[in-house]
Amino acid sequence: MILDNILDLTEYGIATGLVDSEDRIYTINKLMELFSVDDISDEVLKAHEGVHFTQSEAEEKLSGILDEMLDYAYENGLMTEDSVTYRDLFDTKIMGCLVARPSEIRREFYRHYKNSPMEATDYFYKLSCDSNYIRRQRIKKDLKWQTDTKYGKLDITINLSKPEKDPKAIAAAKNAKQNAYPKCQLCAENEGYAGRLNHPARQNHRIIPVTIRNSDWYFQYSPYVYYNEHCIVFNSKHVPMKIERATFGKLLDFVSEFPHYFVGSNADLPIVGGSILSHDHFQGGHYTFAMERAQIEKEIVFKGFSDIKAGIVKWPMSVIRITGADKERLIELADKILKTWRGYTDEKAFVFAETDNELHNTITPIARRRGKDFELDLVLRNNITTEEHPLGVYHPHAKLHHIKKENIGLIEVMGLAVLPARLKGEMAELKDTLIKNGDLYATETLASHAEWALEIKRKHADINESNVDDILREEIGKVFEEVLWDAGVYKCSADGREAFMRFINEVNK
């Protein structure tokens, strides 16, 4: 069986373009070595003569081939435990046998780039999927839908593609030696790394060097692809996140090189930042979020920047959009807005630049091309906390935590809710209880959603099996709209816009 799997996986590599047909024998031998097999009969080889896969056939067969190989590895002592963590470590090692060396991938990428940036990213994204670095079969499990709101169609996803660690792996990782290599999951040293119990394997992972603002960075895709061609652009050095003048230049340089992509940065402070603040990085991709489609609700003019079109975006968070043909002029204005915001306090609006020697104001910036022009969306953020809101005043408030408690990072800011996997099971339980008109306090899980569910019942008296899924999705979307509202420094109200304009006037002083 394992020899059949080896031959089938080699054919997968050839069908997807990971393996050149001239490297067939070499690839078979590499896989035989990995599985401690030193012989293959003529009968087995002959049985596979004429076996060829199309791209789509190869994609469908991969998970089955790998599952059988992993079963064999465990049964023959090549894998310590038969669990998700150990299987992920070993199947990545398997796929690493099919992926070319980094230098070859980079040459091929830039060969395509000479024709067009889109051709290059198409090549690299397909490779990242075919290598199983992006696990297609798991991504398909994610639940995704859109919800209509007054701000446009918001994207909702319940992420199921990131596996939960099993108890044995967690215990083993706790007792394992603590390594400092790679320093984090974004470092360049991950490329080809074998992984360990508390760090994913990356033998099938490749990165592309890019130069932005005369500094060395790398470009890769996220293994969890929350949206189309979800990419990560990261500093070659392990340095902390920092929003500064150079950040705007780097973002705009990237969209100069890849004009079909947007790119943005998480904020650089806790609560309003992303999950990794220790390594400077951006996220981008080939996708149009609701915030990009949102219109300017109030045009504004910045003193000395009449050549830059500017306005406040109709969005639940506080967004200044600036657009122009000259990158350097956009950088200059963005830097002025950032520096003003860093030191800005407006007690009436509960905006404090600093309390107890802790800085609170920062910006989440997003760059894109708008036709021939460059565009920056600058989202004003503040991470102040109070006794009433210990996780943040401008953070999802407690009543929403049953759906979304995590930080509102770049992706959510733009209009895509990345919700925890627990919601799949919790919504299934709630759905059944609503249909049967059961006790909403019967379990701890149901009780956490009870107040929200009672409100849903008041709004939808005719809940039944045929409409309950649509109703729950619609209501989850409305919760996300509230989440964005909570995260906005200046609310979309008369008082909020008046306070927003006080800040604009401060920039213009």
Side-chain angles (χ1 to χ4, degrees):
M1 176 65 77
I2 189 60
L3 293 174
D4 293 322
N5 297 145
I6 286 170
L7 294 175
D8 282 345
L9 188 62
T10 302
E11 185 55 43
Y12 169 89
I14 293 169
T16 57
L18 289 173
V19 175
D20 191 286
S21 59
E22 293 186 18
D23 295 325
R24 183 192 300 270
I25 294 173
Y26 173 83
T27 303
I28 291 170
N29 287 336
K30 287 288 289 182
L31 290 167
M32 288 175 63
E33 178 187 7
L34 176 60
F35 285 92
S36 299
V37 177
D38 57 14
D39 186 34
I40 184 168
S41 68
D42 288 342
E43 288 78 13
V44 172
L45 291 171
K46 188 171 184 180
H48 277 77
E49 285 181 2
V51 174
H52 302 292
F53 303 144
T54 64
Q55 173 75 33
S56 60
E57 287 172 342
E59 290 177 18
E60 288 300 317
K61 289 179 178 292
L62 179 61
S63 60
I65 296 170
L66 289 176
D67 281 344
E68 291 180 0
M69 292 178 116
L70 293 169
D71 291 343
Y72 176 91
Y74 176 64
E75 291 163 4
N76 288 271
L78 300 175
M79 205 166 69
T80 307
E81 295 281 352
D82 188 22
S83 66
V84 172
T85 302
Y86 284 95
R87 289 174 80 91
D88 280 2
L89 288 169
F90 202 86
D91 75 1
T92 304
K93 188 175 185 179
I94 295 170
M95 293 304 296
C97 294
L98 274 62
V99 185
R101 291 177 180 270
S103 58
E104 296 176 43
I105 301 297
R106 293 169 187 180
R107 280 195 296 271
E108 187 68 7
F109 179 89
Y110 280 107
R111 184 183 71 79
H112 286 289
Y113 188 88
K114 287 180 180 178
N115 293 330
S116 79
M118 189 180 293
E119 183 179 311
T121 56
D122 284 349
Y123 155 76
F124 189 44
Y125 185 70
K126 181 178 183 299
L127 180 140
S128 298
C129 292
D130 290 339
S131 67
N132 210 38
Y133 166 70
I134 296 173
R135 297 173 180 265
R136 286 190 180 104
Q137 294 305 313
R138 285 186 184 168
I139 301 299
K140 289 178 181 178
K141 297 177 183 178
D142 290 348
L143 302 179
K144 298 181 179 182
W145 68 93
Q146 291 186 321
T147 297
D148 286 318
T149 73
K150 61 184 176 182
Y151 304 106
K153 288 183 180 293
L154 299 181
D155 293 297
I156 315 292
T157 178
I158 297 178
N159 181 257
L160 304 171
S161 57
K162 187 181 290 188
E164 294 185 18
K165 290 187 177 180
D166 55 275
K168 285 186 178 180
I170 292 172
K174 183 179 180 181
N175 297 322
K177 177 185 174 183
Q178 295 303 304
N179 297 45
Y181 179 92
K183 289 186 174 68
C184 77
Q185 292 187 28
L186 288 180
C187 287
E189 288 78 11
N190 283 279
E191 188 176 41
Y193 185 61
R196 53 185 189 268
L197 289 175
N198 58 359
H199 194 103
R202 289 290 183 253
Q203 292 101 321
N204 58 351
H205 174 48
R206 297 295 180 265
I207 59 179
I208 302 295
V210 293
T211 302
I212 48 180
R213 288 287 125 165
N214 300 312
S215 59
D216 295 329
W217 286 57
Y218 289 100
F219 164 65
Q220 67 175 58
Y221 287 104
S222 165
Y224 306 116
V225 287
Y226 294 137
Y227 50 85
N228 187 46
E229 297 180 37
H230 178 182
C231 71
I232 300 172
V233 186
F234 62 98
N235 200 315
S236 63
K237 299 176 182 178
H238 184 77
V239 295
M241 297 283 291
K242 187 177 183 181
I243 303 298
E244 57 185 349
R245 181 188 181 98
T247 304
F248 306 125
K250 290 167 185 173
L251 295 173
L252 291 170
D253 277 1
F254 184 80
V255 297
S256 294
E257 295 181 30
F258 300 95
H260 58 301
Y261 274 15
F262 80 89
V263 68
S265 175
N266 270 305
D268 54 356
L269 294 178
I271 297 176
V272 295
S275 58
I276 300 178
L277 295 176
S278 61
H279 196 131
D280 199 12
H281 70 285
F282 309 140
Q283 295 183 77
H286 197 184
Y287 191 71
T288 302
F289 287 90
M291 193 174 80
E292 180 179 344
R293 294 191 295 266
Q295 300 298 307
I296 296 292
E297 70 171 8
K298 182 176 179 59
E299 292 186 0
I300 52 180
V301 176
F302 287 103
K303 188 176 179 180
F305 293 92
S306 58
D307 55 320
I308 302 297
K309 183 179 178 182
I312 295 173
V313 180
K314 185 180 179 182
W315 193 246
M317 299 185 71
S318 309
V319 186
I320 299 171
R321 177 171 295 164
I322 56 176
T323 309
D326 188 334
K327 281 195 297 185
E328 301 308 316
R329 290 285 288 163
L330 280 181
I331 294 166
E332 187 177 347
L333 177 53
D335 185 48
K336 184 177 183 181
I337 293 169
L338 173 65
K339 286 177 177 175
T340 305
W341 180 244
R342 288 283 195 195
Y344 183 72
T345 291
D346 182 350
E347 293 186 15
K348 186 178 178 182
F350 206 79
V351 172
F352 295 89
E354 181 181 343
T355 58
D356 299 326
N357 296 316
E358 181 184 354
L359 300 177
H360 296 303
N361 290 347
T362 186
I363 279 177
T364 298
I366 301 106
R368 66 181 72 90
R369 300 298 295 269
R370 185 77 73 171
K372 293 182 178 180
D373 286 340
F374 295 91
E375 187 167 271
L376 283 172
D377 280 351
L378 307 174
V379 188
L380 306 183
R381 311 298 302 277
N382 180 288
N383 74 346
I384 195 168
T385 61
T386 63
E387 287 186 9
E388 183 184 0
H389 301 295
L391 297 181
V393 172
Y394 305 111
H395 178 85
H397 291 171
K399 69 173 185 176
L400 307 177
H401 288 179
H402 66 106
I403 298 292
K404 178 70 174 176
K405 184 178 181 179
E406 298 78 12
N407 290 359
I408 302 305
L410 170 69
I411 295 171
E412 284 88 0
V413 164
M414 294 185 293
L416 190 159
V418 181
L419 302 179
R422 64 175 172 81
L423 284 178
K424 181 183 179 183
E426 291 178 11
M427 289 304 105
E429 185 178 357
L430 180 59
K431 168 185 170 180
D432 187 59
T433 304
L434 287 171
I435 292 171
K436 296 176 180 177
N437 199 28
D439 181 2
L440 289 169
Y441 294 90
T443 68
E444 185 177 345
T445 296
L446 285 171
S448 71
H449 297 289
E451 289 188 22
W452 176 61
L454 288 169
E455 180 61 28
I456 291 174
K457 287 180 70 174
R458 282 192 287 270
K459 290 166 62 178
H460 304 276
D462 60 338
I463 292 179
N464 56 62
E465 194 165 355
S466 66
N467 65 14
V468 65
D469 287 322
D470 288 339
I471 289 172
L472 284 175
R473 289 185 173 195
E474 178 187 344
E475 294 299 330
I476 289 172
K478 289 178 180 177
V479 170
F480 181 49
E481 186 178 349
E482 284 190 69
V483 163
L484 292 179
W485 177 275
D486 282 354
V489 176
Y490 298 120
K491 309 307 180 189
C492 296
S493 63
D495 289 345
R497 287 315 186 207
E498 182 182 336
F500 204 158
M501 287 308 300
R502 289 200 296 272
F503 170 68
I504 300 299
N505 293 335
E506 185 71 18
V507 178
N508 277 326
K509 284 184 178 178

